[in-house]
Amino acid sequence: MASKTDQGNNPLWHMLLTGVILVLGVFVAPVSAQQAEKGAAQHYVDGVNFFTRSRMRDAERAFLMALRESPANKAAWMGLMDVYTAQQRYEEGADAADRALEHHPGDPEFWIRKGAFLRDAGRKSAARAALERAVEVSASDQDVVKRVKNNLYFDRDASGRIKLGNGK
């Protein structure tokens, strides 16, 4: 019988161990992908529940966990951006929109969100560029054009209240 030190140098032992790892990988990998998707969905639901109870820190954590498991999850990105909007964390919201756009570059909703965050952060020229991109990727869809116009012409006063602006 081989001792533990002999097993480390035994080529037969390495072949057996490699075979076991490969077999386990084949059987475990599909389950892990399914579990990740199921986990992402549950984290998203948790995030929505926390958000509706105004538990923003918990909601943010849940949405981030969903995105860790499913980075292209559009609903989780939207939820995370809703948290940033509710907390007036505009720069972080713009960063989240950028990360979402890595997965959904042709989605005008993320461009509109990015433009609104940039506008609220006081970065008007960058906001205008993002909003114009929303119109481009939507092939000038009239609903998108209307939402973009609303975002371009609304501004916030010093106290954070929305006021009608000149769109510049």
Side-chain angles (χ1 to χ4, degrees):
M1 182 161 175
S3 70
K4 287 186 181 182
T5 55
D6 291 339
Q7 289 174 350
N9 296 324
N10 186 336
L12 234 39
W13 176 253
H14 283 289
M15 286 176 42
L16 176 65
L17 188 58
T18 302
V20 168
I21 290 171
L22 287 174
V23 168
L24 283 175
V26 168
F27 290 114
V28 173
V31 173
S32 296
Q34 288 172 341
Q35 286 175 335
E37 206 49 48
K38 184 178 179 183
Q42 184 58 55
H43 291 309
Y44 169 75
V45 169
D46 292 344
V48 170
N49 288 332
F50 288 133
F51 185 87
T52 58
R53 291 182 289 173
S54 297
R55 292 177 52 188
M56 296 302 163
R57 186 174 292 157
D58 292 328
E60 179 181 11
R61 249 186 248 121
F63 290 132
L64 287 170
M65 287 170 42
L67 290 166
R68 206 165 318 158
E69 299 206 18
S70 180
N73 186 323
K74 182 176 177 176
W77 282 115
M78 293 297 194
L80 182 62
M81 286 185 270
D82 287 342
V83 169
Y84 294 147
T85 299
Q87 295 182 321
Q88 298 179 354
R89 293 164 57 189
Y90 305 126
E91 291 293 338
E92 288 171 270
D95 289 342
D98 279 335
R99 291 192 316 270
L101 283 163
E102 291 172 12
H103 301 281
H104 305 281
D107 191 326
E109 181 63 32
F110 289 122
W111 288 105
I112 291 171
R113 292 274 187 120
K114 179 179 178 175
F117 281 125
L118 292 169
R119 178 204 62 214
D120 291 344
R123 297 170 53 196
K124 294 195 188 321
S125 61
R128 179 178 291 280
L131 293 166
E132 288 172 354
R133 184 73 179 128
V135 173
E136 288 172 21
V137 300
S138 74
S140 299
D141 177 284
Q142 289 307 303
D143 289 334
V144 171
V145 170
K146 182 178 178 182
R147 290 180 62 210
V148 164
K149 284 182 181 178
N150 286 340
N151 273 289
L152 284 173
Y153 292 101
F154 282 104
D155 206 350
R156 295 186 187 274
D157 64 16
S159 68
R161 291 180 304 214
I162 294 176
K163 66 177 184 171
L164 195 56
N166 63 5
K168 293 184 180 177

